[in-house]
Amino acid sequence: MTDDGVGVHASRRARSLIEDSDRIDVEEAEVAGFALLDLLRDRERVVIIDALTDEKRVAGEVSVQSLDAFRPTLHLCAGHEIDLPMALELGRQMGYAMPSEIHLVVVAVEEARTLGESCTPAVAKAIEPAASRAIELARGCPSTGSGQRTMARG
């Protein structure tokens, strides 16, 4: 996919930004629903980077959302499964240690369903800011607030 792969590209870039003193794991996973349980359990803080289709946003716009402001992204909700908030609640009900802090770093995309090997130019420029923000959040730097937006332009 083209822009749909921005989360994977940003995750790979984030991995290269991790310092030796960081206690950060980067996982690449294109999963939704029940499969999220195994990725989320036993984590203190989770930062998810994903593509977001939203006609009100400009392609390449990076925003940080809290779970309270959750809107299903391309991968965090599967058609016949559960979404991210439901997965967290289910995990807690099953007795799993679920993260107390979750941040969503989302990148507005334009070509989510077209096959290709790279992102469109506007979304490609958002990879670095999305990766950097994800690492800041993973390190525990405070979120700039629900809906804070950063535009990647060039």
Side-chain angles (χ1 to χ4, degrees):
M1 297 282 187
T2 53
D3 289 352
D4 186 40
V6 70
V8 171
H9 294 295
S11 295
R12 290 175 182 164
R13 177 64 185 131
R15 185 177 287 118
S16 72
L17 299 173
I18 296 173
E19 298 174 2
D20 291 339
S21 60
D22 289 328
R23 291 182 40 218
I24 298 173
D25 295 325
V26 176
E27 301 280 344
E28 290 179 34
E30 294 190 34
V31 298
F34 296 107
L36 289 169
L37 288 173
D38 288 332
L39 290 173
L40 297 174
R41 68 187 291 185
D42 300 323
R43 309 265 183 185
E44 295 173 22
R45 178 182 300 123
V46 172
V47 179
I48 298 170
I49 309 170
D50 202 1
L52 176 69
T53 53
D54 185 343
E55 308 83 44
K56 296 175 186 166
R57 296 180 190 254
V58 177
E61 184 178 305
V62 178
S63 36
V64 177
Q65 298 180 355
S66 68
L67 197 56
D68 296 335
F70 176 76
R71 277 188 66 208
T73 62
L74 288 174
H75 294 291
L76 295 180
C77 186
H80 297 288
E81 292 197 48
I82 59 175
D83 63 14
L84 178 60
M86 290 175 68
L88 288 166
E89 182 57 31
L90 178 62
R92 287 184 189 105
Q93 289 180 7
M94 295 173 63
Y96 294 165
M98 300 305 281
S100 59
E101 190 177 332
I102 296 182
H103 301 280
L104 305 171
V105 176
V106 295
V107 179
V109 300
E110 54 185 276
E111 290 294 330
R113 303 283 179 213
T114 303
L115 291 176
E117 293 184 21
S118 58
C119 297
T120 58
V123 173
K125 291 175 187 169
I127 292 170
E128 182 71 27
S132 296
R133 190 66 186 120
I135 291 298
E136 289 173 1
L137 292 166
R139 287 180 178 140
C141 297
S143 172
T144 53
S146 175
Q148 178 71 27
R149 298 177 182 180
T150 305
M151 180 62 76
R153 294 188 187 258

